[in-house]
Amino acid sequence: MERLTSTALLPESFQGTRDDITEQMGVVWQQIKAPVIVPLLRLAVFVCLVMSVMLVVERVYMAAVIALVKFLGRRPEKRYKWEPIRDDLELGSAAYPMVLVQIPMYNEKEVYQLSVGAACGLSWPADRIIIQVLDDSTDPVTKDLVEMECNRWASKGVHIKYERRDNRSGYKAGALRDGMKRGYVEHCDYVVIFDADFQPEPDFLWRTVPFLIHNPDLALVQARWKFVNSDECLMTRIQEMSLDYHFAVEQEVGSFTHAFFGFNGTAGVWRISALNEAGGWKDRTTVEDMDLAVRASLKGWKFVFLGDLKVKNELPSTLKAYRYQQHRWSCGPANLLRKMLMEIASNKKVNLWKKVHVIYSFFFVRKVVAHIVTFVFYCIVIPATVLVPEVEIPKWGAVYIPSVITLLNAVGTPRSLHLLVFWILFENVMSLHRTKATFIGLLEGGRANEWIVTEKLGDTMKVKMATKAVKKPPRTRIGDRLHLLELGTGAFLFFCGCYDVAFGKNHYFIYLFLQAIAFFVVGFGHVGTFVPS
């Protein structure tokens, strides 16, 4: 049998060029582009356009609801009965319901004094409130400090309980569930939850509890968040823009239209009977707060959001902390949808319209589609069409829809309108991790139940800057600063931008270069790094 040569194994188009790797790759690209790449890319464009339409319709719908709420002046006090609690000379303080305040903690050395102090400063009859500090700290120094702080307030007459577990089973959900098992909780009517960096104003209970007293069908009163460090750096300003939209629009719309929204895990007051009827705290996902809210809603309970009541708290100051937080917030809802889809669909206590809202709007569009389309469409598909000019994207999909979505998002934080370009670029970078986390949640991958507490700095940095001379930031290993996924995506975008400059006709290169720079900046670790000024 004749000996086969490499020439015989190659197509005729390769003859004479088999030593030129670049030309060979070009020929292979041309051979697979028409039958494989073009159809797949057209399918990706179609799917992304459908998801974009779904997302923009949802945003426009919510904007219309918000406009209607503002026009009609439908404040919560007008939709639900609200009257201040009046003193009763015969009953005395017994006229007030018993309130439990839970503060879950885990090595919160920098902020424990702020949260405990704020909770102990709540205005309410002293014998009708119990402060419960649930400390899962593993650092012995932090545990001693938190316990000493609790003892200090107890010596002032505050009814405060310091509770510690032997393990962290169930993480935050496990701590809250364990706290609800204490004997003294049986006498409580409502439970308030504050994360370790939250600082409520003294009148918080006066403004929230009356809703629950006068409206027996209400299970939850949720307050809005106010960020004490939003002006710390550009990254925190961008976080504020995204979260302000969530509260000012998404939560408000859910409260007004369906009396349902996702509990934010903190700065909310629960009716304990509703919490127990829903099955209590479960640790099957990393969004135990959303899990509880959905289960309570399926039991027929209603929620109300108070946009005018704001509780101070802290945004993540470092990219590392922010990435962990976003992984949990993206992976958890997707995983919860996987676990509860059939339970929601088959529920008979809520109407069809509310089921559609929870499954389609609340979960699918906002928690799945929004993440996937942002990364896949704007960072993969649009750049890829530069390399494959046979595939075209209509202008309404590439320009008009993103513009509408961006402008509607800016409504929540008008003071940051000038930062819209930075918001777009940074959100697209973060969509890489949100998309990855979403698929991990949907497929229940290895990191589906990863729980890492978001690092809080409190006033520590401000104090150090004010009392100590400025020092060089600590050195970090190059490997800790480099993020390969961002760098790889940035390189792809940069290559597509260069190709568009040389051969393209649609001028995508302006966007591609800007987005590539954003990926490179994050990839080389130049975002979310504290630099003393």
Side-chain angles (χ1 to χ4, degrees):
M1 188 171 65
E2 295 182 5
R3 185 172 178 268
L4 295 175
T5 64
S6 59
T7 303
L9 293 173
L10 295 172
E12 291 182 5
S13 58
F14 273 63
Q15 301 303 318
T17 62
R18 60 182 179 274
D19 296 325
D20 190 336
I21 297 177
T22 304
E23 285 191 32
Q24 291 180 13
M25 292 178 63
V27 172
V28 170
W29 170 254
Q30 291 301 324
Q31 288 184 340
I32 68 172
K33 184 168 73 169
V36 179
I37 302 299
V38 171
L40 287 177
L41 191 55
R42 281 178 177 157
L43 176 62
V45 169
F46 174 76
V47 172
C48 288
L49 287 176
V50 170
M51 290 194 293
S52 296
V53 171
M54 293 167 63
L55 187 58
V56 76
V57 168
E58 179 72 9
R59 294 294 177 97
V60 171
Y61 156 73
M62 290 193 291
V65 172
I66 288 297
L68 183 64
V69 171
K70 299 297 182 184
F71 177 75
L72 297 177
R74 298 290 288 167
R75 294 167 56 85
E77 292 82 357
K78 291 186 177 181
R79 288 184 282 123
Y80 296 95
K81 184 179 179 181
W82 189 95
E83 294 179 0
I85 304 175
R86 304 185 184 281
D87 292 331
D88 190 308
L89 295 178
E90 294 183 2
L91 296 176
S93 63
Y96 294 82
M98 194 73 177
V99 177
L100 173 70
V101 180
Q102 290 185 312
I103 310 175
M105 290 191 175
Y106 176 71
N107 294 335
E108 308 286 2
K109 187 175 181 179
E110 314 298 349
V111 295
Y112 72 94
Q113 285 183 308
L114 295 175
S115 57
V116 173
C120 292
L122 288 170
S123 175
W124 201 251
D127 61 336
R128 306 300 291 172
I129 184 172
I130 303 174
I131 312 296
Q132 187 184 64
V133 178
L134 305 168
D135 189 15
D136 278 357
S137 299
T138 54
D139 175 33
V141 175
T142 302
K143 287 193 289 187
D144 291 342
L145 288 173
V146 175
E147 186 172 13
M148 288 172 58
E149 182 70 7
C150 293
N151 291 336
R152 186 173 73 86
W153 282 101
S155 66
K156 296 181 179 181
V158 175
H159 194 180
I160 186 169
K161 300 285 187 178
Y162 176 74
E163 307 290 359
R164 183 189 297 174
R165 296 192 298 165
D166 297 329
N167 58 71
R168 287 193 69 209
S169 175
Y171 303 106
K172 179 182 175 181
L176 294 171
R177 183 173 58 231
D178 187 73
M180 295 299 294
K181 294 179 181 178
R182 306 296 174 176
Y184 51 82
V185 176
E186 295 178 1
H187 306 290
C188 297
D189 303 291
Y190 310 114
V191 56
V192 193
I193 301 158
F194 295 115
D195 281 350
D197 59 317
F198 276 70
Q199 305 163 54
E201 295 296 329
D203 65 346
F204 180 88
L205 295 177
W206 295 110
R207 298 177 64 180
T208 54
V209 171
F211 279 102
L212 297 169
I213 292 176
H214 300 301
N215 302 276
D217 57 342
L218 278 181
L220 168 67
V221 180
Q222 172 73 62
R224 184 172 172 172
W225 297 0
K226 178 181 180 181
F227 311 108
V228 297
N229 64 331
S230 58
D231 292 326
E232 188 174 276
C233 63
L234 182 59
M235 190 182 78
T236 53
R237 285 290 293 272
I238 291 172
Q239 290 180 63
E240 180 191 39
M241 292 176 69
S242 298
L243 287 170
D244 276 352
Y245 179 83
H246 166 70
F247 285 107
V249 179
E250 292 180 345
Q251 298 291 78
E252 191 71 69
V253 168
S255 177
F256 178 77
T257 57
H258 300 282
F260 166 78
F261 47 83
F263 174 44
N264 295 119
T266 179
V269 188
W270 275 91
R271 187 186 302 274
I272 291 180
S273 60
L275 190 153
N276 292 334
E277 184 185 345
W281 294 102
K282 294 185 178 181
D283 56 9
R284 55 181 175 174
T285 69
T286 58
V287 284
E288 73 294 323
D289 43 14
M290 187 180 295
D291 188 350
L292 175 62
V294 174
R295 285 185 281 115
S297 179
L298 294 180
K299 293 291 184 180
W301 291 98
K302 296 181 179 180
F303 309 156
V304 63
F305 173 73
L306 305 183
D308 293 336
L309 179 59
K310 300 179 181 180
V311 180
K312 293 186 291 184
N313 71 297
E314 181 182 328
L315 291 164
S317 300
T318 65
L319 179 64
K320 182 179 179 181
Y322 186 51
R323 285 175 63 179
Y324 281 133
Q325 182 199 69
Q326 293 303 298
H327 174 86
R328 191 171 73 245
W329 287 4
S330 303
C331 179
N335 193 230
L336 184 61
L337 173 61
R338 171 193 171 105
K339 287 180 164 66
M340 293 199 69
L341 178 60
M342 296 309 299
E343 182 180 345
I344 298 170
S346 61
N347 184 273
K348 296 181 180 178
K349 285 194 174 182
V350 297
N351 57 42
L352 178 62
W353 178 234
K354 190 167 186 177
K355 291 180 186 179
V356 171
H357 169 73
V358 175
I359 295 175
Y360 175 77
S361 297
F362 180 76
F363 273 116
F364 187 63
V365 176
R366 301 182 202 171
K367 311 300 182 184
V368 177
V369 168
H371 301 326
I372 294 175
V373 73
T374 302
F375 177 68
V376 174
F377 192 36
Y378 302 120
C379 300
I380 301 295
V381 173
I382 290 180
T385 59
V386 171
L387 307 177
V388 187
E390 294 88 344
V391 180
E392 295 184 358
I393 300 176
K395 186 175 289 186
W396 59 265
V399 179
Y400 299 150
I401 284 182
S403 299
V404 171
I405 292 174
T406 301
L407 291 175
L408 289 178
N409 190 90
V411 172
T413 317
R415 79 183 187 101
S416 297
L417 275 172
H418 61 292
L419 299 176
L420 270 182
V421 173
F422 296 102
W423 177 81
I424 294 169
L425 298 176
F426 185 71
E427 283 294 291
N428 286 351
V429 174
M430 291 307 301
S431 69
L432 165 63
H433 295 283
R434 294 184 184 126
T435 300
K436 183 177 72 171
T438 299
F439 279 113
I440 289 174
L442 288 173
L443 302 175
E444 202 149 20
R447 295 181 60 198
N449 293 311
E450 179 184 67
W451 180 282
I452 297 178
V453 176
T454 305
E455 180 187 20
K456 295 115 182 171
L457 300 179
D459 294 326
T460 313
M461 286 296 180
K462 297 176 185 177
V463 172
K464 288 181 179 179
M465 288 171 60
T467 59
K468 295 185 179 181
V470 175
K471 297 181 180 180
K472 293 182 179 180
R475 292 184 178 181
T476 56
R477 293 181 299 176
I478 295 179
D480 295 335
R481 292 285 297 272
L482 296 180
H483 305 295
L484 297 182
L485 287 177
E486 285 89 342
L487 292 176
T489 307
F492 170 70
L493 290 165
F494 186 76
F495 172 75
C496 292
C498 293
Y499 191 92
D500 194 40
V501 170
F503 307 107
K505 299 178 181 179
N506 45 27
H507 304 294
Y508 284 160
F509 65 87
I510 300 173
Y511 159 73
L512 293 173
F513 284 144
L514 286 173
Q515 191 62 70
I517 291 171
F519 271 98
F520 285 139
V521 169
V522 176
F524 283 112
H526 291 294
V527 168
T529 303
F530 185 82
V531 180
S533 58

